[in-house]
Amino acid sequence: AALGPVPAEAAIRRLEGFRTLVAESPIATASVLNPLAYLHAMSGDFARAETLLAEAGAILDELAGLGAGISHLEAFVRLLACQPERAEALLREDVELLSAMVEGSALATTKALLARAVLAQGRPDEAAELAAEAGRLTAPQDVLTQGLWRGVRARALAHAGRHGEGLALAHEAVAALETTDLLSHRGDAMLDLAAVLSARGQREESEQAVRSAVALYERKGN
């Protein structure tokens, strides 16, 4: 509901129904509240998203860590809310936890998201290294993370003047995601491509990529 093609408003209604169905289970309730918060953030209701994240966090704290690794959705909320520093803080906690476990897939996604949060705070060199680390950990079939780390590293390389390498990675990110129904993340990949094209001075192509991104976000209601 949160990541797929169901429009945000319809997905919110669906998850409210799920929330009622699983009300007797705290862990299941928390598992509904986090994607629900992400959907409300997509709709621009950050106050509601904050309330839901707090409720989910309280449940998971009471369960003494059974929800470890669930903060990817909260990170997406923080990034949408222009709070990359808050996303970075929680993702760094996850990296520390997951690095002590055999959790390659979750750790790869966490590092890719951390790279995004770091880049949003104006630290492209650090973001590029984190993205490269995520790339080394990402399984070939994990298309979401394949798109995430490539898009961040593409932007960081373009910032460093390595436009050709950045453009190649940006196109790879778009290609990794374009056959999926991950509409928001496809939009993100298009915006990464737009940023690289802009850095290369390809204004018309950059604007076209932005229009493609907007169309994908509108389909999702994001």
Side-chain angles (χ1 to χ4, degrees):
L3 301 182
V6 179
E9 288 188 10
I12 287 170
R13 292 193 297 272
R14 179 180 292 183
L15 289 193
E16 289 291 359
F18 290 170
R19 184 179 181 183
T20 301
L21 287 173
V22 302
E24 298 303 315
S25 168
I27 188 66
T29 296
S31 296
V32 171
L33 293 177
N34 279 292
L36 189 56
Y38 184 30
L39 288 161
H40 277 289
M42 288 184 195
S43 300
D45 190 348
F46 294 111
R48 180 62 176 155
E50 189 73 41
T51 297
L52 292 165
L53 289 175
E55 189 176 345
I59 291 171
L60 295 173
D61 286 346
E62 191 171 332
L63 293 173
L66 284 176
I70 202 171
S71 58
H72 294 166
L73 288 168
E74 181 175 353
F76 285 133
V77 172
R78 300 303 179 197
L79 290 170
L80 276 180
C82 298
Q83 299 171 336
E85 69 288 345
R86 297 184 69 179
E88 179 183 3
L90 65 94
L91 290 166
R92 287 199 182 279
E93 290 182 7
D94 279 359
V95 166
E96 184 175 352
L97 174 67
L98 293 168
S99 293
M101 302 165 62
V102 185
E103 279 289 344
S105 176
L107 181 58
T109 307
T110 303
K111 286 202 172 188
L113 280 170
L114 179 57
R116 178 76 70 184
V118 166
L119 183 68
Q121 295 175 79
R123 287 142 54 198
D125 292 343
E126 184 182 354
E129 181 54 37
L130 284 166
E133 291 173 12
R136 289 190 287 271
L137 292 168
T138 305
Q141 67 272 20
D142 184 356
V143 292
L144 172 58
T145 310
Q146 291 286 1
L148 280 172
W149 78 258
R150 280 180 167 82
V152 175
R153 187 162 171 79
R155 282 185 181 242
L157 289 173
H159 185 274
R162 296 163 63 181
H163 297 139
E165 294 172 77
L167 185 61
L169 273 178
H171 278 301
E172 288 176 14
V174 170
L177 291 164
E178 67 181 353
T179 60
T180 75
D181 59 9
L182 301 168
L183 298 181
S184 288
H185 298 295
R186 287 170 59 190
D188 292 345
M190 293 304 301
L191 283 189
D192 291 334
L193 175 60
V196 175
L197 288 167
S198 179
R200 285 169 56 90
Q202 295 177 245
R203 186 179 187 87
E204 186 175 344
E205 293 91 338
S206 176
E207 290 176 353
Q208 180 57 48
V210 170
R211 285 193 289 271
S212 296
V214 169
L216 288 160
Y217 293 137
E218 285 179 341
R219 283 173 59 191
K220 180 62 182 175
N222 184 350

